[in-house]
Amino acid sequence: MAEAARASDGAARSGGGGCGVSKRAGGDLAFSALAFALALLPRLYVAIAWAREPVWDGHYYDFGARRIAAGLGYSDDLIVGGQAIWHPWCHYPVGYSGFLALVYRLFGAGPYAATVANAVTGALLVVVVHRLARYATTPARARVAALLAALSPGLILYAALLMTEPLAALGLVTAPWLLARDAARGRPARGAVLAGVALGLSALVRPQSLLCAPALALLAWRGNGGARAAWKRGALTAALSAAAALAVVAPWTIRNCRVMDGCALVSTNGGWNLAIGAFPRATGRFETLRAGDGCPIARGQVAQDRCWMAAGLQWIKDDPGRWLALIPRKLGFTFDHESFPIGYLGEADPAAWPEERRAAGRRVLTASHLGLLSAAALGVVAMPRRRPRRELVPQLLALAAVLGLVALGVFGDGHAFWPLAVVIPLIAALPLPGRPANGGVVGYLAFAVASVALTHAVFFGEDRYHMVVTPALCILAACALRRGEADGEQAGDR
């Protein structure tokens, strides 16, 4: 009992910061196991019944994985003078191909090896959602978060796609869980390092994951010693995590410096993506760059990416108004619908996915995503209840703002829901009287949503990019309309 009390106190001091931190955040393992099984079954069905030859970016991830598994590294062969010349890659991040390569080496590269691995990854993601949510909310709400993730139609369909988002999402939620868990056990430094390792592995899959390292400080702010001590704990946590993450990435960076035509932290598509979001033909979503758009000379991947980066910056400088005007469209393409899994499956097996079936699938996925996004926006707003007016009025205004944006999305001409992704971190950060506990885990998750919105406001938008924070939205949705911070923590917000 004494050990459990110490763990509970540690969880509260570490800044679980959600809907009333669970007094036994390490418990409910039986439900975690049940959630794993519930998530795995539909994902396994999809992984086996709907798996086809990988298409789009999935083709390159699979090809890279097979090369790595064969001992040839992340590369292809160029034919020069009739002979195959080994040619290294780093245009796409290596992490997902490396993960698949390990699966292929252990189990063979059969037709279902990658998709079954995806199914297991998706089920593990649900388990981590449940474990992390217990440091943000009550056990009952944490179970709701796990069920939302387990039954998410988009996350289920992703089992059949050779795409990076679920694996990257697993790293994004594993990092704060490891930190919250170890902080609750009185080992915050170890938790910070392990969280950094998780973020580093996620960065090898999706480099933007590194943007979330500073947000880990939110899990360390609460505790004794006042504001100065809190800032010191937060800064130390963020520094340890960032250092560990960069240490994980460093060997790959060194490899790139050694074998490529220049140094690249993880990959060489940042310049390309900036150019796609800024060049004269930019629409706010993916468009194919051509040599005539600005970089006509064929050269190494690093040099080519730097050329596109310079071109993109110049286009922004030449017409900043046009680039800024594209931001709402970019965010709309990112958050206003969910259709990528259906498009991928239809491309891989057109006969099985006629347009009528595709349209129905897009409607189901989009409705599910928009409902989740709307509920998640309520995760940073307190439940209106009898309280002093100085606390009640700001929370009613915040609630009205969220509901107004939802109504605008439903009934407005443009059906724009992307403002909800902007308002989640905004409301979470505002020190509104009577607000729920929006630091700790909830603050980290809101920051993760902000990192996706910011990234794709700068580059370009596609709906698959929001999938990496779908698990975060599940936890935020489970925290919808909590009690205020003071009375919520005392009452347990049950």
Side-chain angles (χ1 to χ4, degrees), residues 320-336:
R322 180 178 180 275
W323 179 74
L324 290 171
L326 282 172
I327 289 177
R329 298 182 67 181
K330 294 174 182 179
L331 293 178
F333 286 128
T334 302
F335 291 105
D336 283 353

Side-chain angles (χ1 to χ4, degrees), residues 391-470:
E391 296 182 0
L392 178 62
V393 171
Q395 293 307 309
L396 284 175
L397 291 174
L399 176 60
V402 171
L403 294 179
L405 290 175
V406 173
L408 184 64
V410 174
F411 301 110
D413 292 339
H415 298 290
F417 282 79
W418 65 262
L420 292 170
V422 176
V423 85
I424 287 172
L426 181 62
I427 294 180
L430 290 175
L432 298 176
R435 71 176 187 170
N438 286 337
V441 171
V442 169
Y444 171 92
L445 298 174
F447 190 98
V449 174
S451 74
V452 172
L454 177 61
T455 296
H456 297 288
V458 171
F459 296 103
F460 64 90
E462 293 288 350
D463 67 289
R464 73 181 176 100
Y465 297 129
H466 76 243
M467 299 298 301
V468 75
V469 289
T470 294

Side-chain angles (χ1 to χ4, degrees), residues 9-32:
D9 180 62
R13 287 187 287 105
S14 71
C19 333
V21 177
S22 168
K23 294 183 182 296
R24 293 186 62 197
D28 212 10
L29 291 173
F31 187 84
S32 291

Side-chain angles (χ1 to χ4, degrees), residues 208-254:
Q208 301 94 310
S209 300
L210 290 174
L211 295 176
C212 290
L216 291 169
L218 297 172
L219 281 81
W221 274 357
R222 291 194 175 190
N224 300 322
R228 184 174 181 179
W231 279 98
K232 185 177 180 180
R233 284 194 302 272
L236 179 60
T237 296
L240 283 174
S241 298
L246 291 175
V248 170
V249 172
W252 183 251
T253 304
I254 293 170

Side-chain angles (χ1 to χ4, degrees), residues 49 51 76 83 99 153 180 225 239 281 284-285 321 352 369 372 379 417 423 455 467:
D76 61 4
Q83 293 188 348
F99 166 73
R281 294 189 292 108
R285 65 181 307 176
H369 161 66
L372 182 65
F417 282 79
V423 85
T455 296
M467 299 298 301

Side-chain angles (χ1 to χ4, degrees), residues 237-482:
T237 296
L240 283 174
S241 298
L246 291 175
V248 170
V249 172
W252 183 251
T253 304
I254 293 170
R255 174 266 188 191
N256 291 339
C257 295
R258 182 174 57 85
V259 304
M260 303 299 296
D261 58 303
C263 289
L265 180 66
V266 175
S267 57
T268 58
N269 56 1
W272 288 78
N273 292 342
L274 183 67
I276 291 169
F279 75 138
R281 294 189 292 108
T283 61
R285 65 181 307 176
F286 177 79
E287 301 291 342
T288 302
L289 289 174
R290 306 188 185 104
D293 289 319
C295 293
I297 301 174
R299 44 185 148 181
Q301 287 185 0
V302 176
Q304 202 168 40
D305 191 59
R306 290 174 181 173
C307 176
W308 286 120
M309 177 68 73
L313 291 172
Q314 188 61 50
W315 285 317
I316 294 171
K317 182 180 178 181
D318 291 343
D319 195 352
R322 180 178 180 275
W323 179 74
L324 290 171
L326 282 172
I327 289 177
R329 298 182 67 181
K330 294 174 182 179
L331 293 178
F333 286 128
T334 302
F335 291 105
D336 283 353
H337 67 105
E338 187 168 293
S339 61
F340 180 83
I342 298 296
Y344 182 107
L345 292 171
E347 180 75 12
D349 190 1
W353 291 88
E355 180 52 35
E356 183 178 353
R357 188 184 186 195
R358 294 192 201 190
R362 289 193 294 265
R363 287 194 295 270
V364 170
L365 265 61
T366 296
S368 171
H369 161 66
L370 296 181
L372 182 65
L373 180 60
S374 300
L378 296 174
V380 292
V381 179
M383 169 71 80
R385 59 192 302 270
R386 296 185 64 179
R387 61 175 66 208
R389 179 174 295 183
R390 66 175 296 273
E391 296 182 0
L392 178 62
V393 171
Q395 293 307 309
L396 284 175
L397 291 174
L399 176 60
V402 171
L403 294 179
L405 290 175
V406 173
L408 184 64
V410 174
F411 301 110
D413 292 339
H415 298 290
F417 282 79
W418 65 262
L420 292 170
V422 176
V423 85
I424 287 172
L426 181 62
I427 294 180
L430 290 175
L432 298 176
R435 71 176 187 170
N438 286 337
V441 171
V442 169
Y444 171 92
L445 298 174
F447 190 98
V449 174
S451 74
V452 172
L454 177 61
T455 296
H456 297 288
V458 171
F459 296 103
F460 64 90
E462 293 288 350
D463 67 289
R464 73 181 176 100
Y465 297 129
H466 76 243
M467 299 298 301
V468 75
V469 289
T470 294
L473 296 179
C474 291
I475 298 177
L476 291 172
C479 291
L481 296 177
R482 299 168 280 158

